Amino acid sequence: HKNKFKRWNPFQRPLVETPPATDAPPKERAQIEQLIANGKAGVAVDIAKAVHKRLRIAASEALLVDAYVARISDLAGRKLDVEANALLSQVQERHPTSRDRLREVAVTLKARTGDIDALLGLLADASLLPETRAGIERRIRDTAGDPARIARCEALPPEHPLRVAAAAVVSALEAVTSGPVSAERLALPEISRQSPLAPWKMVLRAIQAVYGNQDELCEQYLAAVEPTAAPARLVPALRAMIGQRQKL
């Protein structure tokens, strides 16, 4: 009897095809993101490299670049700037499609060496995504220790809100260190709570409280300054002034 079943043809296309992957598997994506959040960027890079080698899609490449960015930031945070820049150059060469994503990282590394103008210049780009702009502003908050430099930064137009706010901080600093000033003078409506210069408002009010012999009020303002913000470097000096006066 003839076999009623058709002979299997290994070259015949399957009746149900598996669609090509468009994203990294959720389990692996979550694992990589968790490792990044836990500060284990090196391990995250290794796993992301394996995922991208297997999938070779845009989503897996973006995930790998995210892991690399975390690794570069980790190196920079440990003051290994040479290693961070070397890794950045390697990633830029291997992943040219992520040029815009890596441009922000490159500028941030420059800002660590004092080149704050490069970081500020990114804010002049009106096409920046909101989350990208927020990330840049956080870095400015943490690295911009001289508001006068922002006020005269030619990478931003004179009417840019951040430049206007920086000029207001410079003016208020001169006023509060020269003599008594009113609370209205330090209100600084040009600076919103989300502004990278917002911590300066607390520092200015703390300085006013020091000169007004209001130690308790000064401490309240100092406690409100974010520890990672650039003006937080002034907090120990102001507390030392209070301590010296209390010893008298």
Side-chain angles (χ1 to χ4, degrees), residues 34-206:
Q34 188 61 53
L35 286 167
I36 292 173
N38 292 343
K40 299 179 179 179
V43 180
V45 167
D46 291 339
I47 297 175
K49 284 170 68 175
V51 172
H52 183 54
K53 184 177 180 179
R54 186 178 76 245
L55 299 178
R56 293 292 179 183
I57 58 176
S60 63
E61 182 178 23
L63 187 60
L64 175 57
V65 170
D66 285 344
Y68 271 126
V69 168
R71 178 60 175 159
I72 292 168
S73 299
D74 176 58
L75 291 170
R78 291 189 282 133
K79 298 183 179 180
L80 299 173
D81 292 347
V82 173
E83 292 82 352
N85 279 291
L87 181 57
L88 173 62
S89 297
Q90 184 184 87
V91 177
Q92 286 174 323
E93 182 180 349
R94 294 181 180 178
H95 304 279
T97 57
S98 300
R99 181 181 55 214
D100 290 342
R101 174 80 172 89
L102 296 170
R103 181 182 64 160
E104 179 188 342
V105 180
V107 170
T108 300
L109 289 179
K110 283 185 178 180
R112 287 177 52 82
T113 63
D115 189 3
I116 192 68
D117 290 3
L119 195 58
L120 292 168
L122 292 177
L123 294 180
D125 184 357
S127 64
L128 276 181
L129 295 173
E131 56 269 25
T132 302
R133 183 175 298 276
I136 294 169
E137 289 180 344
R138 280 195 300 272
R139 290 179 176 87
I140 292 172
R141 179 185 298 241
D142 295 345
T143 58
D146 183 6
R149 186 164 184 176
I150 299 177
R152 60 175 180 265
C153 175
E154 295 184 358
L156 295 174
E159 68 278 4
H160 192 280
L162 188 58
R163 237 182 124 172
V164 173
V169 171
V170 173
S171 176
L173 274 171
E174 293 175 352
V176 79
T177 54
S178 301
V181 293
S182 64
E184 291 77 13
R185 179 69 178 80
L186 301 180
L188 300 176
E190 303 91 343
I191 303 175
S192 67
R193 295 183 64 181
Q194 291 75 33
S195 170
L197 297 173
W200 281 101
K201 294 175 79 168
M202 295 296 103
V203 170
L204 286 165
R205 292 169 186 173

